[in-house]
Amino acid sequence: MTEQHPSPFERGTDGPKVIVVGVDGSDSSLRAAAYAGGLARRQRALLAVVYVQPVMTAGAALGAPVAEATDEIAQDIVAQIREGTERSRGIFDVRWEFHTFHGDPYNGLVKAADQLKADAVVVGASEQAGHRIVGSVAVRLVKAGRWPVTVVP
């Protein structure tokens, strides 16, 4: 008789319990949030909305107000999510939390998914042309092979 080990994705329950969605204010990330919200509602999972604030660049070190701009983006994202939640109150009930991490988007989402014990990660497709060559955050998350990853166009 062979001994069977549980899959790293199996946490002893049916379906995901924590779904992480990365948002940055882009149209594709907001579509990803809407998709992940529907998935969380159907699965009765917690939706963890994650915004990764970029680290200070050389321009920011010279006095450019980058940190303030990224704080404004995070606040705008939270406002959009709250507005959507209020519009759907009574129709859809989704448990959600908003988290901000610092760093580059890939490492920030990896850190978020690890800390929040994500069962699934949802991201929007990259809208930047250079990512076709270098590789997008979505492709890097899929290649990491640590969680099921859904990429929303």
Side-chain angles (χ1 to χ4, degrees), residues 8-137:
F9 296 114
E10 184 64 39
R11 299 205 193 276
T13 61
D14 290 334
K17 293 299 173 198
V18 177
I19 298 170
V20 166
V21 60
V23 294
D24 61 7
S26 67
D27 288 343
S28 67
S29 77
L30 296 176
R31 285 191 298 270
Y35 177 87
L39 184 60
R41 177 184 54 81
R42 289 186 299 276
Q43 297 290 330
R44 293 181 175 84
L46 172 67
L47 177 63
V49 180
V50 175
Y51 171 63
V52 181
Q53 284 186 315
V55 293
M56 287 182 50
T57 61
L62 297 174
V66 174
E68 292 171 15
T70 59
D71 284 341
E72 287 177 20
I73 292 170
Q75 291 170 4
D76 184 53
I77 291 169
V78 170
Q80 289 179 39
I81 293 166
R82 285 200 172 113
E83 181 182 310
T85 302
E86 286 301 316
R87 279 195 311 254
S88 65
R89 188 172 300 282
I91 301 169
F92 303 118
D93 285 327
V94 176
R95 293 180 306 124
W96 65 277
E97 301 172 346
F98 184 80
H99 299 271
T100 301
F101 287 81
H102 297 275
D104 69 274
Y106 170 75
N107 287 314
L109 286 172
V110 166
K111 182 178 179 182
D114 283 345
Q115 285 185 7
L116 299 168
K117 295 183 175 33
D119 296 301
V121 177
V122 179
V123 292
S126 176
E127 296 176 350
Q128 296 181 1
H131 286 170
R132 292 188 184 118
I133 299 166
V134 178
S136 68
V137 172

